[in-house]
Amino acid sequence: MSSLAAARADNFYYPPEWTPNQGSLNKFHGQHALRERARKLDEGILIIRFEMPFNIWCEGCNDSMIAKGVRFNAEKKQVGNYYSTKIWSFTMKSPCCKHQIVIQTDPKNCEYVIVSGARRKIEEFDVEDVETIELLTDEERAKLYSDAFFCLEHEKADLQRKKEAEPGLVLMKRKSDARYSDDYALNKALGAKLRPQKKRVAEEVATSRKLGLGLRLLPASKEDAAAAARVKFLSSNKFEKNRKDKQVLINAASIFSGSSVSDTKRLELEANRRKINTAAASNR
């Protein structure tokens, strides 16, 4: 991209007909600063990138799941208020069947709610299997603030769980403190471990460059040495000797047609004799 094209792409190019009293470049060109994202701004809609907050099933094709984290070009608009907090609506199209999906924010429960076009995938799991802490439900949380006896019972249960888990927590803290108390020693040990590795990699790169290779060779192993030793190459001296013998036979052959048959047979016999000698030498 040329410098002029780059300046135009970044909206830094001021054409000759522009004057400072005409305002900004966006005003001069008659466009919004957000370009295509603001094409429906007169309707209160702004185009944004929306990331799916949880796994959902598309109701357009009924068998396609849209995973959490998938991003869409969504139309964002305000649809109401919860006290002073705005409620936003996000409208997007499903990637599998172009079905329209509408999701709204729920400030009361700090959650997203599917309005239409999809349904949330229900994922259940056992707290003990995944080794996590079971959270209180909305009813238990409300009862915890309103019922003093329930709060006292819950507090006693929490203290009992604390006593049961305290030895393990103390042991984990001691191990963590002993392992990470000395930062200098940890850094020194890590450097001593990585320094030979970096040196070996540098040597391998230098060796590959000397050999004219564009990749780093792996260290030699006993298996590679044994495999290389089993490979047998033809001797260059034997090849040169066979070539010279054939040349001598060709030079000694008669150029007259009367003796061509006998010379041809003699050449075939000599070739067979060399094959037999070669096979006998390889079997020794």
Side-chain angles (χ1 to χ4, degrees):
M1 182 182 291
S2 64
S3 59
L4 180 58
R8 287 177 176 173
D10 296 333
N11 204 19
F12 294 146
Y13 174 72
Y14 290 84
E17 59 271 16
W18 176 85
T19 56
N21 57 3
Q22 291 176 323
S24 64
L25 284 175
N26 293 320
K27 185 177 180 180
F28 175 77
H29 291 296
Q31 62 186 10
H32 196 274
L34 297 178
R35 306 291 180 88
E36 291 297 324
R37 292 175 54 193
R39 63 178 181 270
K40 296 183 178 181
L41 203 60
D42 54 343
E43 305 174 14
I45 298 175
L46 178 65
I47 309 299
I48 66 165
R49 291 291 287 175
F50 179 79
E51 184 173 324
M52 191 61 63
F54 37 69
N55 298 331
I56 64 173
W57 292 104
C58 176
E59 291 185 347
C61 46
N62 293 324
D63 58 351
S64 296
M65 188 193 77
I66 302 175
K68 174 182 177 181
V70 179
R71 296 183 178 181
F72 299 88
N73 291 331
E75 297 181 354
K76 174 185 174 183
K77 65 178 180 179
Q78 183 182 354
V79 294
N81 289 281
Y82 176 73
Y83 295 103
S84 61
T85 304
K86 296 179 181 180
I87 299 177
W88 298 101
S89 173
F90 305 94
T91 305
M92 64 209 79
K93 291 185 178 180
S94 173
C96 51
C97 60
K98 305 302 179 184
H99 186 69
Q100 190 179 64
I101 301 174
V102 181
I103 298 178
Q104 288 185 5
T105 58
D106 185 7
K108 179 180 179 180
N109 300 315
C110 300
E111 185 62 279
Y112 287 94
V113 178
I114 301 176
V115 178
S116 62
R119 65 182 186 276
R120 185 167 182 174
K121 182 181 179 182
I122 301 175
E123 298 176 338
E124 298 180 353
F125 57 90
D126 191 3
V127 177
E128 296 181 357
D129 293 340
V130 297
E131 298 181 355
T132 58
I133 299 176
E134 185 176 3
L135 301 177
L136 298 176
T137 61
D138 295 338
E139 293 79 7
E140 291 176 346
R141 192 178 293 108
K143 192 176 180 180
L144 188 63
Y145 285 103
S146 60
D147 193 343
F149 287 101
F150 180 78
C151 181
L152 184 60
E153 293 175 357
H154 194 276
E155 184 178 355
K156 289 182 178 180
D158 291 342
L159 291 174
Q160 183 63 29
R161 284 196 295 268
K162 177 186 175 183
K163 289 181 180 179
E164 293 176 357
E166 189 172 6
L169 295 175
V170 171
L171 182 60
M172 291 172 60
K173 186 176 183 304
R174 288 178 180 175
K175 288 184 177 180
S176 178
D177 294 342
R179 182 177 299 175
Y180 303 107
S181 59
D182 192 353
D183 296 337
Y184 174 76
L186 289 174
N187 192 11
K188 183 178 179 181
L190 183 61
K193 183 179 179 181
L194 296 179
R195 199 173 295 112
Q197 182 179 356
K198 292 176 64 177
K199 184 178 180 181
R200 177 176 56 82
V201 170
E203 292 177 354
E204 292 174 357
V205 171
T207 303
S208 63
R209 287 180 178 177
K210 288 181 180 180
L211 298 176
L213 301 177
L215 49 88
R216 182 167 59 91
L217 296 177
L218 295 176
S221 61
K222 295 182 179 180
E223 292 78 6
D224 295 339
R230 289 193 296 267
V231 177
K232 294 183 179 180
F233 298 96
L234 293 176
S235 175
S236 60
N237 296 331
K238 185 179 296 185
F239 174 78
E240 290 293 334
K241 183 176 181 302
N242 294 337
R243 187 180 65 81
K244 290 180 180 180
D245 293 344
K246 186 180 291 186
Q247 187 67 29
V248 169
L249 292 175
I250 292 173
N251 294 333
S254 176
I255 60 175
F256 298 101
S257 59
S259 59
S260 60
V261 176
S262 60
D263 292 337
T264 303
K265 290 183 178 180
R266 185 162 57 83
L267 290 174
E268 291 178 356
L269 292 175
E270 290 293 334
N272 293 333
R273 181 177 60 80
R274 285 195 299 271
K275 290 181 180 179
I276 293 172
N277 294 336
T278 303
S282 61
N283 294 330
R284 291 178 182 177

